[in-house]
Amino acid sequence: MEMLKIMDINRETIISEILTNFPEAMPKFQELGMHCLGCALATSETLEQACAAHGVDPDEFIVELKAYLLAL
């Protein structure tokens, strides 16, 4: 499987794919109460679905997540 690139992250990206490629992203998910590594849904849930479940605007979160990862 090709490595996910930061700019490829979008609403349809699976949470586990993000965390596999960018484990350093976990704090951004935890800030929102998303404890995705321990969640069974992480293997099939999209970023949009996770944001909806936690009352977070997915577009805003994607912008913040990408900025966070690029700053590391």
Side-chain angles (χ1 to χ4, degrees):
M1 178 163 78
E2 185 179 327
M3 184 170 176
L4 181 70
K5 295 173 182 58
I6 292 171
M7 299 317 292
D8 292 336
I9 297 171
N10 62 61
R11 287 171 165 251
E12 299 305 312
T13 307
I14 303 297
I15 298 291
S16 62
E17 187 178 0
I18 297 170
L19 295 175
T20 296
N21 286 280
F22 305 106
E24 63 275 18
M26 193 61 195
K28 281 310 274 183
F29 287 93
Q30 290 175 326
E31 283 176 13
L32 302 175
M34 296 184 197
H35 302 288
C36 300
L37 284 177
C39 177
L41 293 175
T43 58
S44 62
E45 193 170 45
T46 65
L47 190 56
E48 182 173 31
Q49 291 168 325
C51 285
H54 291 274
V56 175
D57 180 289
D59 296 318
E60 286 181 24
F61 181 71
I62 290 168
V63 168
E64 288 178 24
L65 178 62
K66 287 179 179 181
Y68 175 79
L69 290 171
L70 287 168
L72 294 177

